[in-house]
Amino acid sequence: MSQDTRQDNKDSVVRAVHLKKTYFLDGVAVPALKEVNLGIAKGSFVSITGASGSGKTTFMNILGCLDKPTEGSYYLEGTDVSSLTPDRLADIRNERIGFIFQNFNLLARTSAMENVELPLVYAGVARHERQKKARELLEMMGLKGFEQHFPQQLSGGQQQRVAIARALVNSPSIILADEPTGNLDSKTSYEIMAILTRLNEQMGVTIILVTHEHDIAGYAQRIITFRDGLVVSDTVNK
Amino acid sequence: MNIPEAFKVSTRALYKNKMRSVLTGLGVIIGIAAVVALVSIGQGVSKKIENQISSLGSNLLIVFPGSTSMGGVHGGFGSVNTLMPSDATAIASQVPDALYVSPAVRWVGQTIFQNQNWATTIMGVGPSFPEIRDWPIAEGNFFDKEDVDGAANVCAIGQVVKDQLFGGIDPIGKIIKISNIPFRVVAVMAAKGTAGFGQDQDDMILAPYTTIQKKLLGIDYLNLIFVKAISSSAVTGAQQEIESLLRQRHNIKSKVDDDFTIRNVTDMLSAVMNITNMLTIFLGSIASISLLVGGIGIMNIMLVSVTERTREIGIRMAVGAKRRDILLQFLLEAVTLSTIGGIIGIILGSVLSLTAGTFIKIPITINVFPVAIAFFFSFAVGVFFGLYPATKASKLNPIEALRYE
């Protein structure tokens, strides 16, 4: 992309404005995010890196609507979601956010197919339609024939591909990938990153990747680095 | 998520942990089975006692000599000799609510027919005794007023006496000896069964009371007077009329206690029913303690399950489950477990009580009401003991739940 995706404007899918998060441990205030202002354009592929304790996980949790900021606003597709009720946040997660986790987080003893269907179950989609969509996405992930396999019968790479299919099933606005290659060997890691790159380039899916590995972060068009609760660098890659 | 979807998720979770589900359900199964069995058996016993008391005769009043409170101590059956045949005659002629009246005297002794002998109760009664006690005649004709007036040596025998003394021989017209006095058998009574107090009514010989008074006992008083009221609504009226008549006849001044006691079968029945009903409730309450223990078992396992499945809850929340969805899922799991346990318990309890009923010869009927109550309770146990673990699950923080190892 020729355009500088760092530009924050009204079309940004994600906008953080004066975002702060403070934890209270035994009455002692621990600032996790001191002041974050940034925007992420629709259709971009962004990496968020930083050492542990830098605030990148906290930022990720807020972007994923799993946590609320202490101060400031978070706009997802123009809507301020920083003050919504837990039930409304559940709806936002269901409709607009796809999660990919380091440890895959698939339901055990539940088939690949049903894992992919899960967000649609909570969206109230009819069974027939759910299965159709789940089957399509598993096929796209190269898992045709594995629909009825349980996670423990699949390799790590296969499990992560099931998780990607699950993240895509509700056609979300953003995909949040938290160390998606952290539990995989390097060959499988490259496969997963190739899939994410393809999703971004061919289907225009917005991907926000959290990682501490430089080569993995290098797949993104833009790399944001956190340190001590602040954005310390925001560069265009390549 | 709608209820059918949540139900599917819950039943599958139960199915995945078969052994645990069965063991947890066992608490409710045993609790419900115990409640259903004990209540059914209790009701069966009530029914049996009710039948036995009713078999004494409908609308029946019994006049005993002696007061329940005379001298502070109840003298007991026949301890006072104040009841006279003329009292019975007076009741018959002056109490309009009395349909039949029969004087009665009682003796227990040996009876002999040829080489057979049998110790039994000999009741001296009037000719209307079968009508008073609703007791049909199986063979022959019951003795009449003439036999009573003439103190004839005739008798009617119960089924047990017939079997013991005669075996296969037709007893009608045969002579038996009661205390060495010959009596001609004129009738055999139909089988009536045990009265409520362990006494077999078929083990009895009936003879004119005059004969028993004069030839066997040498007395002129009565042990009892049986009165049948004209209808069930007339029982209380008859009782009052008899009381005032006898007080007048016995010259009892006001403020002095009666020298007789009148019992009516309806009162006896309701007194006994009160006791048996209380017993049934008592047994049911004890059994429901095991239901409570079963419920605590469910709560315990659900709490373990919530902890074990913290990650699952986190995943579900991350992909869009609301608190309500998680609550519903775990609540349905507890309720499904307890109601399935309840249904199995109802079946088991019914089978148990029916089996026990055939062994102890009690008529068991499985009534809809206790079964419905048991089912409702099993459902309620699931809701009550499932609510806390389900609420706990629904209040988990998704971030911490996802990170839970």
Side-chain angles (χ1 to χ4, degrees):
Chain A
M1 282 192 189
S2 54
Q3 192 196 341
D4 186 349
T5 55
R6 290 175 295 175
Q7 206 67 46
D8 182 16
N9 57 44
K10 293 281 180 271
D11 294 334
S12 297
V13 63
V14 164
R15 282 179 69 211
V17 181
H18 304 303
L19 210 61
K20 290 177 193 168
K21 180 72 185 181
T22 310
Y23 290 110
F24 290 93
L25 294 174
D26 300 325
V28 181
V30 180
L33 289 179
K34 285 168 183 162
E35 165 92 32
V36 176
N37 291 291
L38 61 81
I40 293 171
K42 199 170 172 56
S44 59
F45 187 166
V46 178
S47 282
I48 294 172
T49 64
S52 57
S54 62
K56 67 179 194 299
T57 304
T58 303
F59 185 61
M60 168 89 177
N61 285 338
I62 292 172
L63 290 190
C65 292
L66 290 165
D67 206 351
K68 287 185 187 183
T70 316
E71 270 181 64
S73 298
Y74 163 36
Y75 296 91
L76 181 64
E77 291 184 313
T79 321
D80 186 359
V81 298
S82 37
S83 57
L84 295 177
T85 62
D87 276 0
R88 281 296 298 141
L89 288 177
D91 283 335
I92 300 270
R93 289 198 295 271
N94 184 245
E95 292 159 11
R96 304 198 197 172
I97 297 165
F99 287 99
I100 301 169
F101 301 97
Q102 177 173 0
N103 49 15
F104 324 129
N105 273 338
L106 297 173
L107 293 186
R109 288 195 275 177
T110 304
S111 71
M113 183 84 156
E114 283 173 311
N115 265 294
V116 177
E117 279 180 59
L118 195 61
L120 296 178
V121 171
Y122 290 107
V125 176
R127 186 182 160 81
H128 176 76
E129 208 174 317
R130 289 198 316 245
Q131 292 184 332
K132 183 167 165 279
K133 198 125 192 240
R135 199 172 281 121
E136 277 171 20
L137 281 164
L138 282 172
E139 192 178 346
M140 192 172 110
M141 289 296 128
L143 289 169
K144 194 173 165 59
F146 290 92
E147 287 89 348
Q148 299 310 321
H149 282 58
F150 289 166
Q152 59 267 38
Q153 298 168 316
L154 298 171
S155 72
Q158 286 170 324
Q159 288 188 56
Q160 196 59 299
R161 278 185 280 156
V162 173
I164 294 171
R166 182 180 65 188
L168 288 170
V169 79
N170 259 352
S171 313
S173 313
I174 54 170
I175 286 205
L176 289 173
D178 185 7
E179 305 274 11
T181 59
N183 278 11
L184 301 172
D185 58 56
S186 54
K187 183 172 165 286
T188 318
S189 297
Y190 298 142
E191 279 170 25
I192 294 297
M193 289 318 296
I195 290 171
L196 292 179
T197 309
R198 204 176 71 224
L199 287 175
N200 174 250
E201 284 172 358
Q202 292 174 9
M203 297 170 65
V205 181
T206 311
I207 294 175
I208 301 168
L209 174 77
V210 174
T211 184
H212 64 275
E213 292 176 68
H214 283 296
D215 54 339
I216 296 297
Y219 279 85
Q221 300 145 357
R222 176 181 168 193
I223 300 173
I224 300 165
T225 309
F226 276 74
R227 189 185 299 150
D228 299 331
L230 292 166
V231 174
V232 290
S233 90
D234 189 347
T235 58
V236 177
N237 193 23
K238 290 167 195 167
Chain B
M1 186 145 80
N2 54 21
I3 293 191
E5 287 287 353
F7 185 70
K8 229 177 80 184
V9 171
S10 306
T11 47
R12 188 173 306 180
L14 291 174
Y15 183 74
K16 280 176 188 167
N17 285 302
K18 275 185 248 23
M19 192 61 177
R20 180 195 282 187
S21 301
V22 168
L23 288 175
T24 311
L26 208 54
V28 177
I29 292 172
I30 292 170
I32 291 285
V35 171
V36 169
L38 288 177
V39 169
S40 299
I41 291 171
Q43 287 182 329
V45 170
S46 284
K47 187 72 197 158
K48 186 172 187 178
I49 294 174
E50 188 187 344
N51 289 342
Q52 287 171 344
I53 295 178
S54 304
S55 76
L56 284 175
S58 53
N59 312 331
L60 179 67
L61 291 154
I62 304 172
V63 185
F64 300 90
S67 164
T68 46
S69 59
M70 200 186 239
V73 182
H74 181 206
F77 188 74
S79 61
V80 189
N81 312 328
T82 51
L83 223 48
M84 291 297 165
S86 57
D87 288 330
T89 317
I91 292 169
S93 59
Q94 293 174 39
V95 174
D97 283 335
L99 182 61
Y100 295 112
V101 179
S102 170
V105 287
R106 233 172 77 120
W107 185 72
V108 177
Q110 207 70 16
T111 61
I112 299 166
F113 174 70
Q114 294 174 347
N115 58 345
Q116 300 292 320
N117 74 88
W118 182 245
T120 186
T121 304
I122 294 98
M123 284 283 280
V125 295
S128 57
F129 189 72
E131 284 81 16
I132 290 174
R133 297 286 302 274
D134 302 321
W135 197 351
I137 318 286
E139 301 164 48
N141 293 299
F142 202 73
F143 51 83
D144 56 17
K145 190 169 180 302
E146 265 178 49
D147 293 323
V148 174
D149 290 346
N153 288 16
V154 291
C155 68
I157 59 174
Q159 287 289 337
V160 171
V161 177
K162 177 194 168 187
D163 294 343
Q164 294 297 333
L165 285 183
F166 293 95
I169 305 165
D170 177 15
I172 303 292
K174 301 286 187 300
I175 304 293
I176 61 171
K177 282 186 174 171
I178 303 172
S179 187
N180 273 329
I181 299 164
F183 280 77
R184 186 164 51 87
V185 178
V186 293
V188 178
M189 308 304 288
K192 202 164 168 67
T194 314
F197 319 101
Q199 159 202 5
D200 189 343
Q201 298 180 91
D202 294 325
D203 188 4
M204 190 175 282
I205 293 175
L206 302 171
Y209 74 95
T210 46
T211 318
I212 304 297
Q213 272 186 325
K214 288 169 189 161
K215 299 182 179 171
L216 241 71
L217 301 174
I219 56 171
D220 60 352
Y221 55 84
L222 298 174
N223 296 133
L224 300 166
I225 299 173
F226 291 105
V227 181
K228 190 187 186 73
I230 52 172
S231 67
S232 59
S233 56
V235 169
T236 316
Q239 186 168 354
Q240 286 162 354
E241 288 161 18
I242 294 166
E243 185 177 2
S244 60
L245 176 67
L246 290 184
R247 283 183 72 87
Q248 185 197 334
R249 288 183 56 84
H250 294 183
N251 295 318
I252 299 166
K253 295 187 179 67
S254 58
K255 292 182 182 172
V256 176
D257 286 337
D258 294 344
D259 63 355
F260 55 89
T261 306
I262 306 170
R263 289 271 160 76
N264 83 58
V265 169
T266 316
D267 288 352
M268 286 157 68
L269 195 60
S270 63
V272 174
M273 291 307 283
N274 265 340
I275 295 168
T276 54
N277 284 341
M278 274 187 25
L279 205 65
T280 303
I281 291 168
F282 178 67
L283 286 175
S285 313
I286 290 179
S288 55
I289 292 172
S290 59
L291 188 60
L292 188 75
V293 174
I296 293 169
I298 287 187
M299 179 139 115
N300 193 10
I301 287 299
M302 289 307 296
L303 283 172
V304 170
S305 180
V306 166
T307 308
E308 262 184 9
R309 287 152 69 190
T310 298
R311 184 90 83 90
E312 175 193 328
I313 295 163
I315 295 169
R316 288 180 182 277
M317 285 175 160
V319 302
K322 296 188 179 70
R323 284 182 175 176
R324 188 169 49 88
D325 296 324
I326 301 295
L327 183 87
L328 194 64
Q329 179 189 337
F330 282 90
L331 194 58
L332 275 178
E333 221 175 288
V335 170
T336 304
L337 196 59
S338 70
T339 40
I340 289 177
I343 292 167
I344 296 172
I346 287 169
I347 295 168
L348 190 69
S350 304
V351 169
L352 270 176
S353 55
L354 289 170
T355 313
T358 57
F359 277 111
I360 55 177
K361 295 193 174 56
I362 280 172
I364 301 286
T365 47
I366 306 299
N367 294 320
V368 178
F369 184 66
V371 166
I373 291 272
F375 183 79
F376 171 77
F377 264 96
S378 65
F379 178 85
V381 159
V383 173
F384 185 79
F385 291 102
L387 201 56
Y388 175 67
T391 308
K392 203 180 156 196
S394 73
K395 286 193 174 154
L396 287 176
N397 178 333
I399 298 170
E400 283 164 23
L402 278 169
R403 231 184 274 140
Y404 187 85
E405 293 295 332

Short mmCIF file of all heavy atoms in Angstrom, two decimals, chain B residues 360-383:
data_model
loop_
_atom_site.label_atom_id
_atom_site.label_comp_id
_atom_site.label_asym_id
_atom_site.label_seq_id
_atom_site.Cartn_x
_atom_site.Cartn_y
_atom_site.Cartn_z
N ILE B 360 -45.99 -56.79 52.03
CA ILE B 360 -46.63 -56.53 53.32
C ILE B 360 -48.14 -56.38 53.17
O ILE B 360 -48.81 -55.91 54.08
CB ILE B 360 -46.00 -55.30 54.04
CG1 ILE B 360 -46.04 -54.08 53.14
CG2 ILE B 360 -44.58 -55.59 54.49
CD1 ILE B 360 -45.52 -52.82 53.80
N LYS B 361 -48.67 -56.79 52.02
CA LYS B 361 -50.11 -56.83 51.76
C LYS B 361 -50.79 -55.50 52.06
O LYS B 361 -51.72 -55.41 52.85
CB LYS B 361 -50.76 -57.95 52.59
CG LYS B 361 -50.29 -59.33 52.18
CD LYS B 361 -51.14 -60.43 52.75
CE LYS B 361 -50.73 -61.79 52.23
NZ LYS B 361 -49.30 -62.10 52.47
N ILE B 362 -50.30 -54.48 51.39
CA ILE B 362 -50.89 -53.16 51.52
C ILE B 362 -51.26 -52.68 50.11
O ILE B 362 -50.48 -52.88 49.18
CB ILE B 362 -49.88 -52.19 52.19
CG1 ILE B 362 -49.89 -52.42 53.70
CG2 ILE B 362 -50.20 -50.74 51.89
CD1 ILE B 362 -48.85 -51.68 54.42
N PRO B 363 -52.47 -52.14 49.96
CA PRO B 363 -52.84 -51.68 48.62
C PRO B 363 -52.10 -50.39 48.26
O PRO B 363 -52.38 -49.34 48.82
CB PRO B 363 -54.35 -51.44 48.74
CG PRO B 363 -54.57 -51.12 50.19
CD PRO B 363 -53.52 -51.84 50.96
N ILE B 364 -51.12 -50.47 47.34
CA ILE B 364 -50.34 -49.29 46.95
C ILE B 364 -50.92 -48.72 45.66
O ILE B 364 -51.12 -49.44 44.69
CB ILE B 364 -48.87 -49.66 46.69
CG1 ILE B 364 -48.22 -50.27 47.95
CG2 ILE B 364 -48.09 -48.44 46.20
CD1 ILE B 364 -47.92 -49.29 49.03
N THR B 365 -51.23 -47.46 45.69
CA THR B 365 -51.55 -46.79 44.44
C THR B 365 -50.59 -45.63 44.29
O THR B 365 -50.32 -44.92 45.24
CB THR B 365 -52.99 -46.24 44.44
OG1 THR B 365 -53.21 -45.55 45.67
CG2 THR B 365 -54.02 -47.34 44.29
N ILE B 366 -50.02 -45.48 43.07
CA ILE B 366 -49.12 -44.37 42.81
C ILE B 366 -50.00 -43.21 42.36
O ILE B 366 -50.56 -43.22 41.27
CB ILE B 366 -48.09 -44.73 41.73
CG1 ILE B 366 -47.35 -46.02 42.10
CG2 ILE B 366 -47.12 -43.57 41.50
CD1 ILE B 366 -46.57 -45.96 43.39
N ASN B 367 -50.14 -42.23 43.23
CA ASN B 367 -51.01 -41.09 42.91
C ASN B 367 -50.27 -40.02 42.13
O ASN B 367 -49.06 -39.87 42.28
CB ASN B 367 -51.56 -40.49 44.20
CG ASN B 367 -52.49 -41.46 44.90
OD1 ASN B 367 -53.26 -42.15 44.26
ND2 ASN B 367 -52.37 -41.53 46.22
N VAL B 368 -51.00 -39.32 41.31
CA VAL B 368 -50.41 -38.28 40.47
C VAL B 368 -49.84 -37.15 41.35
O VAL B 368 -48.77 -36.64 41.08
CB VAL B 368 -51.47 -37.70 39.50
CG1 VAL B 368 -50.88 -36.58 38.67
CG2 VAL B 368 -52.00 -38.80 38.60
N PHE B 369 -50.56 -36.84 42.42
CA PHE B 369 -50.17 -35.68 43.22
C PHE B 369 -48.76 -35.78 43.81
O PHE B 369 -47.93 -34.92 43.56
CB PHE B 369 -51.22 -35.43 44.30
CG PHE B 369 -50.97 -34.20 45.11
CD1 PHE B 369 -51.03 -32.94 44.52
CD2 PHE B 369 -50.65 -34.29 46.45
CE1 PHE B 369 -50.79 -31.79 45.25
CE2 PHE B 369 -50.40 -33.15 47.19
CZ PHE B 369 -50.48 -31.91 46.60
N PRO B 370 -48.45 -36.87 44.59
CA PRO B 370 -47.08 -36.95 45.12
C PRO B 370 -46.02 -37.05 44.02
O PRO B 370 -44.92 -36.53 44.18
CB PRO B 370 -47.10 -38.21 45.99
CG PRO B 370 -48.37 -38.89 45.74
CD PRO B 370 -49.31 -37.95 45.09
N VAL B 371 -46.37 -37.70 42.90
CA VAL B 371 -45.41 -37.81 41.80
C VAL B 371 -45.14 -36.43 41.21
O VAL B 371 -43.98 -36.05 40.96
CB VAL B 371 -45.94 -38.78 40.72
CG1 VAL B 371 -45.14 -38.66 39.43
CG2 VAL B 371 -45.88 -40.21 41.23
N ALA B 372 -46.21 -35.65 41.04
CA ALA B 372 -46.04 -34.30 40.49
C ALA B 372 -45.22 -33.44 41.45
O ALA B 372 -44.32 -32.70 41.02
CB ALA B 372 -47.41 -33.66 40.25
N ILE B 373 -45.48 -33.58 42.75
CA ILE B 373 -44.73 -32.83 43.75
C ILE B 373 -43.25 -33.23 43.71
O ILE B 373 -42.36 -32.39 43.72
CB ILE B 373 -45.30 -33.10 45.17
CG1 ILE B 373 -46.69 -32.49 45.30
CG2 ILE B 373 -44.37 -32.59 46.25
CD1 ILE B 373 -46.71 -31.05 45.75
N ALA B 374 -43.01 -34.54 43.61
CA ALA B 374 -41.63 -35.04 43.57
C ALA B 374 -40.91 -34.49 42.34
O ALA B 374 -39.75 -34.05 42.42
CB ALA B 374 -41.61 -36.57 43.56
N PHE B 375 -41.60 -34.49 41.20
CA PHE B 375 -41.00 -33.98 39.97
C PHE B 375 -40.68 -32.49 40.13
O PHE B 375 -39.58 -32.04 39.80
CB PHE B 375 -41.94 -34.20 38.79
CG PHE B 375 -41.35 -33.75 37.49
CD1 PHE B 375 -40.43 -34.56 36.83
CD2 PHE B 375 -41.70 -32.55 36.92
CE1 PHE B 375 -39.86 -34.14 35.63
CE2 PHE B 375 -41.14 -32.12 35.73
CZ PHE B 375 -40.21 -32.92 35.09
N PHE B 376 -41.65 -31.77 40.67
CA PHE B 376 -41.44 -30.34 40.87
C PHE B 376 -40.24 -30.10 41.79
O PHE B 376 -39.41 -29.22 41.54
CB PHE B 376 -42.70 -29.69 41.47
CG PHE B 376 -42.48 -28.27 41.91
CD1 PHE B 376 -42.44 -27.25 40.98
CD2 PHE B 376 -42.29 -27.97 43.25
CE1 PHE B 376 -42.21 -25.94 41.38
CE2 PHE B 376 -42.06 -26.66 43.66
CZ PHE B 376 -42.03 -25.65 42.72
N PHE B 377 -40.14 -30.92 42.85
CA PHE B 377 -39.04 -30.74 43.79
C PHE B 377 -37.69 -31.04 43.16
O PHE B 377 -36.71 -30.34 43.42
CB PHE B 377 -39.24 -31.60 45.05
CG PHE B 377 -39.88 -30.82 46.16
CD1 PHE B 377 -41.24 -30.86 46.36
CD2 PHE B 377 -39.10 -30.01 46.98
CE1 PHE B 377 -41.83 -30.11 47.36
CE2 PHE B 377 -39.68 -29.26 47.98
CZ PHE B 377 -41.05 -29.31 48.17
N SER B 378 -37.64 -32.07 42.29
CA SER B 378 -36.37 -32.37 41.65
C SER B 378 -35.96 -31.21 40.75
O SER B 378 -34.79 -30.84 40.67
CB SER B 378 -36.46 -33.69 40.88
OG SER B 378 -37.35 -33.57 39.80
N PHE B 379 -36.95 -30.61 40.08
CA PHE B 379 -36.68 -29.44 39.24
C PHE B 379 -36.18 -28.28 40.12
O PHE B 379 -35.16 -27.65 39.82
CB PHE B 379 -37.96 -29.06 38.51
CG PHE B 379 -37.85 -27.83 37.65
CD1 PHE B 379 -37.35 -27.92 36.36
CD2 PHE B 379 -38.24 -26.59 38.13
CE1 PHE B 379 -37.24 -26.80 35.57
CE2 PHE B 379 -38.13 -25.46 37.33
CZ PHE B 379 -37.63 -25.57 36.05
N ALA B 380 -36.89 -28.07 41.23
CA ALA B 380 -36.55 -26.96 42.13
C ALA B 380 -35.15 -27.14 42.73
O ALA B 380 -34.41 -26.17 42.89
CB ALA B 380 -37.59 -26.83 43.23
N VAL B 381 -34.80 -28.39 43.05
CA VAL B 381 -33.47 -28.67 43.60
C VAL B 381 -32.40 -28.25 42.58
O VAL B 381 -31.40 -27.63 42.93
CB VAL B 381 -33.34 -30.18 43.96
CG1 VAL B 381 -31.89 -30.60 44.04
CG2 VAL B 381 -34.02 -30.45 45.28
N GLY B 382 -32.65 -28.58 41.30
CA GLY B 382 -31.71 -28.19 40.24
C GLY B 382 -31.55 -26.69 40.15
O GLY B 382 -30.44 -26.17 40.07
N VAL B 383 -32.66 -25.98 40.20
CA VAL B 383 -32.62 -24.52 40.10
C VAL B 383 -31.90 -23.93 41.32
O VAL B 383 -30.98 -23.14 41.20
CB VAL B 383 -34.03 -23.91 39.99
CG1 VAL B 383 -33.99 -22.40 40.06
CG2 VAL B 383 -34.70 -24.35 38.68
#
